[in-house]
Amino acid sequence: TTRVDAAPDLTVTKSDGGITGVPGGTVAYTLSYANTGTQGATGVVLSETVPANATFNPGASTAGWVCVPNNNSGSVCTLSIGSLAAGGSGSATFAVTVVNPVPAGVTQIANTATVADDGANGPDPTPANNSGSDTTPVDAAPDLSVTKSDGGVPAVPGGTVAYTLSYANTGTQGA
């Protein structure tokens, strides 16, 4: 009997293609996964957590993602890949919509994807490459306005004039 030393070695990388996100816009991440090991992997699953200040966008994503408890930030989303032969590879899209407006101080969306299998063919020899991250800058700014009115009341000597100040932020970011 000769022992065969073989194991799957899963990897994943993540890229937004170098785009800049905008409030209300979609950021589509490409997840490139592979098995660089010497044995096939079974039960392969991609996992994502919906980043802060974003919601999962199923219409712009690869079909089959399941998010728990929902599509809001903090939800964990998984995509079942199934079996992946040694030397095999593929890609999937995970898309999010940036909230509008974004809170004050938010300048980016940071996100990490992971790949794992069911372990039936042994442990991954290099688990450090089982996750990939990307940071997408967000282009947003507050747009402040103010109006002042005395309500059309005429002023009289010695009288009081009350002014109403109305203000708003019509921008895409909190101030």
Side-chain angles (χ1 to χ4, degrees):
T1 303
T2 305
R3 183 178 178 279
V4 176
D5 188 17
D9 184 6
L10 301 175
T11 66
V12 67
T13 58
K14 181 174 190 152
S15 175
D16 63 11
I19 68 164
T20 297
V22 296
T26 299
V27 177
Y29 296 99
T30 300
L31 310 178
S32 300
Y33 57 89
N35 179 355
T36 61
T38 55
Q39 185 171 14
T42 56
V44 177
V45 174
L46 291 171
S47 297
E48 287 268 3
T49 299
V50 180
N53 304 304
T55 57
F56 174 63
N57 183 330
S61 299
T62 299
W65 284 98
V66 175
C67 298
V68 176
N70 51 38
N71 293 345
N72 295 330
S73 66
S75 294
V76 176
C77 303
T78 57
L79 178 66
S80 178
I81 304 301
S83 296
L84 186 59
S89 64
S91 66
T93 301
F94 181 80
V96 298
T97 300
V98 180
V99 298
N100 186 16
V102 295
V106 172
T107 60
Q108 63 187 16
I109 300 285
N111 192 242
T112 300
T114 59
V115 64
D117 67 0
D118 60 14
N121 294 321
D124 191 312
T126 54
N129 61 4
N130 290 19
S131 66
S133 298
D134 199 357
T135 301
T136 304
V138 175
D139 185 15
D143 185 5
L144 303 177
S145 63
V146 64
T147 59
K148 181 178 181 178
S149 172
D150 62 8
V153 176
V156 294
T160 301
V161 177
Y163 292 98
T164 301
L165 301 175
S166 301
Y167 56 91
N169 179 357
T170 58
T172 56
Q173 185 170 37

